[in-house]
Amino acid sequence: MTEALEQYIYKTAKEEEKPAAKDRKDNGLQALMATNPTLPELYQQHCKQLKLKPDPSVMRMLEFPVDEIQTMDLSTLVFSPMSFEAVMEVCRVLPNLGLINLSNSNLRPECVQVLVEMAQDHPFLHSLILEDNNTLGFSAAKLLLPLIKDNKRFIRLDVEGTGMAAPTKTLIKKVLASNRKYRENCGDNLFELENPAPITSNSPKKSQMSSGWEVTDVNSMDGTMEAMQPGSPSSPGSPASPIAGSPEELQQIQDNTEVKSMVITHEERLIQHYTALLATSRNQQDEVREQISKGYTLMDEYKEQWKWPTASTWTVSRLVTELELELPTVELESYAKSYTASPVPVTVTVKPTLADLLEQTATRRRRINLVKDISEKVQAHGPCMPALMELVGNFCDLLNQDGSSMEAMKQMLADTEEQIQDLKNKIDRAETSRQRATQEEDLRSAETHFETSLELQEQLIDIILYRLQQLLDKASKSRLIENLEKLEDQSRDLIQESKAANRELKEKIDSDIKRLEQHESDSADNWQRKGMEFDDMLKQTNTDLSENQKEQDKVWKNITDSFADLKRLSDERMARIDVWMRKVEEHDHARVDHIKVVALCKDHAQTLEYLKNDTDTCENLIDQFEDFITLAIRSTKEVADKATSEGDVLALDEQKRYLGLFRRFYMQLGELLFKKQKRLEEVDRMIRSCEFQIDFCKETLDPDLRRYRDQLKDLQLRRVEVADKVSRLQIRGDDRAAQFMPHEDALHKAGLEFDSPLLEMHEHVVDCRARVLEQRQKFIKRDKEELVDRESHQIEELVANTTAARNAGLSSMIAPLSAPSTPAPGQTPGSRTPTRTLVPA
């Protein structure tokens, strides 16, 4: 949580960073320092510019000499943002200021912004005390965390009693601990920094800002401190760190940074020694040599302690892709589910058990147990094992169909014959009741008896089909031979496909193992070559550093005249050490990758070897299954030869019986379906007529409108019921026809000549529909004469009379409303003329 919080706060602070600090320093500090005032005067000038009244407590703190003020105790003082800015401007010019105490000061977030801007520019400030300021929260943390992270001189930041969250405080403590360790490695005395010497009483109360302290020194010190920060862009020791996500990788990156910063900082300080050589004496030459010797020690420590922080990027998927292995990762995982990888080849023997399955004395239960035992042994030894076990089960089913079951078949036929006779009697009674109800014109009962008869006939057909299926499956010699031929072809294809697939997998595994072994050998050679190159680099670096030391010894003899050469050599040393550090990092990275690649190659080759061992097991099992299939075919043929044709004769008789029952059922079903369909058509016609009557009632103001609407609702409900019955009859007929078709083909193959019940039913339906169509045409012709033709004749007469009256301009030529209409053909004139009723004026 703290790492994520740190990244978020640091990123947000960088985005919100304002360039006001530099402008404020340039515009305020240099202008005010031009008059060389005292600290109180400087504070008063700042307050005057900001139109503020100076604080007496601050004035008393500033009455000491500039270089003696090491702490500023501003605790319990409450500042406004403008007054706090004036105090911070004065703190900028205190070169030895190391600690600022702002505890219990009710600081605002904008004051923290000013404090951070001053602290970033100050060259020596290392401690801030902000405790007991409960107004400081997350916004203050966004400013303070980047400050102490980017400036490793800060070793103290007290934020207890503030509004910051506990993870933020933990993160601040972690950063400060890292900064303290860094400064200790740089040789700083933290105890002296945290406990500065108090200001003596005999110090002058007022002193001028002199003794060589100028504004240009402040600027130069700012630049020096910025250059010394390891996180700054100009620092040569801040290369981009590898991206890491786990806590272990983050810790390793931090350790690497600390080790690296020690080397870089040391070399930078060494360069600073060269810069100061012109102003120092020759006695510092011994110190420089001592520092060089220490540099060798630090280089050795860096070489031993620096470790590549992230894990190797080599994975099995990358290994498969780059080596172009035959088995991709997904395919290998799929094979691992169907094979059982083992360190050594394993032989699974199932041939004796398969032979036991073929024994004639084996019972059905024993064969089931043997098949279960074989299935457990061959499980997960190849993708073809389930199909082979299914084939074994099919052969066992064939072996169970022998001629010894004929007696059981005869007993089954005798048992079901009583059910058949009972159903026949029920069907006859239902048919008799239907005919009687039809004669009595009790059509509802006739329909019920019709449907009952069909249901009983379906039950009879189901019993016949059951008898027939039992005969064909368990007593038919021809069906046994036919199934044996199918299984023989299926087993031959399955064995060939299984062997080919297993052989192909073994070839791919052998190819991948060769490539992995070759890559492992190449990686070892490459690592050995890199080791030799690294050793050569170490020797060359030692040689170069030794030569550099010799050159430095020569340059020291005439250092004042040859400082430029010495500076150049020191830069070369720094560049060489930088290259050396990169080589160390690259070498350790190569070491990590080499170890990972070798381990991956060995593990993957071992996995493939284990998988290959099971392919041998699979091939052995396939051979055993092939031998079993050969014996099973031979045994099944022997059983088929011993079987008699009595079952086929009984099956043919049952099929003939089934033909007669199905013809009767299908003809009656077709008749009932035809009647239902015509009833549905009639209901549709009545619905259309009722809709017409409803519209006509609206035109003629007929009070029977509601009656017609109620009639329409009843007709619509009746139509749904009839349509549902029609749909059910159609589905029943299609299902029964699909059951009958294979037996119809079998009867034709047996040489029996007959007309298909399906054709007979459809021909009967065609005759019935033609007869109904002829009757319907007669009624349609009569309705057309009464309704359409008569109405057309009356319309023509009315149009002629109206046209003549309009042309003559005489309304009297129009027939009165009570005038009799022209009688229709076959109607007596005046027979339907209503009596006219006089209406009184």
Side-chain angles (χ1 to χ4, degrees), residues 312 314 520 523-524 527 589-599:
S312 177
W314 279 94
E520 182 180 357
S523 178
W527 172 247
H589 187 191
R591 178 187 63 80
V592 172
D593 279 348
H594 164 71
I595 295 173
K596 184 68 174 180
V597 169
V598 170

Side-chain angles (χ1 to χ4, degrees), residues 303-336:
K303 178 184 173 183
E304 296 298 329
Q305 297 180 14
W306 200 96
K307 303 297 180 183
W308 188 255
T310 59
S312 177
T313 57
W314 279 94
T315 60
V316 175
S317 300
R318 179 182 173 187
L319 194 68
V320 170
T321 302
E322 295 201 3
L323 297 185
E324 297 180 355
L325 299 182
E326 297 288 340
L327 289 176
T329 306
V330 177
E331 187 176 351
L332 184 60
E333 292 176 355
S334 175
Y335 280 124

Side-chain angles (χ1 to χ4, degrees), residues 384-412:
C384 59
M385 291 301 132
L388 290 173
M389 288 307 303
E390 182 180 358
L391 201 62
V392 170
N394 293 336
F395 273 110
C396 290
D397 292 339
L398 284 183
L399 291 174
N400 291 329
Q401 302 173 18
D402 53 7
S404 61
S405 60
M406 183 56 63
E407 295 298 330
M409 291 295 102
K410 290 181 180 180
Q411 183 63 35
M412 182 271 298

Side-chain angles (χ1 to χ4, degrees), residues 213-225:
W213 184 80
E214 298 178 358
V215 178
T216 54
D217 293 336
V218 175
N219 293 333
S220 63
M221 292 176 72
D222 290 342
T224 304
M225 290 304 296

Side-chain angles (χ1 to χ4, degrees), residues 25-45:
K25 183 181 72 172
D26 294 341
N27 298 332
L29 181 59
Q30 294 181 5
L32 293 174
M33 295 303 298
T35 59
N36 197 20
T38 61
L39 290 178
E41 293 174 351
L42 180 63
Y43 175 60
Q44 290 175 351
Q45 290 181 11

Side-chain angles (χ1 to χ4, degrees), residues 546-565:
S546 177
E547 294 295 332
N548 187 279
Q549 183 63 38
K550 292 179 181 179
E551 292 292 331
Q552 288 190 38
D553 291 339
K554 294 179 182 178
V555 172
W556 272 108
K557 296 178 181 178
N558 195 9
I559 191 164
T560 55
D561 298 333
S562 304
F563 178 77
D565 294 336

Side-chain angles (χ1 to χ4, degrees), residues 120 159 553 714 742:
Q120 286 178 342
V159 292
D553 291 339
D714 295 338

Side-chain angles (χ1 to χ4, degrees), residues 637-697:
K637 286 182 178 180
E638 293 175 359
V639 171
D641 294 338
K642 294 178 181 179
T644 62
S645 300
E646 184 178 359
D648 295 334
V649 174
L650 292 175
L652 182 60
D653 293 339
E654 287 294 325
Q655 287 176 335
K656 292 178 181 179
R657 190 176 189 179
Y658 176 43
L659 172 62
L661 294 174
F662 178 76
R663 176 182 283 110
R664 178 182 178 182
F665 165 77
Y666 203 69
M667 293 295 290
Q668 291 186 1
L669 181 98
E671 181 181 357
L672 182 59
L673 179 61
F674 167 72
K675 294 180 183 296
K676 295 285 185 183
Q677 288 175 339
K678 291 307 170 184
R679 184 185 301 178
L680 183 62
E681 293 177 2
E682 183 63 21
V683 172
D684 289 338
R685 188 192 66 78
M686 294 172 67
I687 289 174
R688 292 194 300 271
S689 176
C690 194
E691 291 174 347
F692 168 75
Q693 290 293 342
I694 291 173
D695 294 338
F696 198 71
C697 287

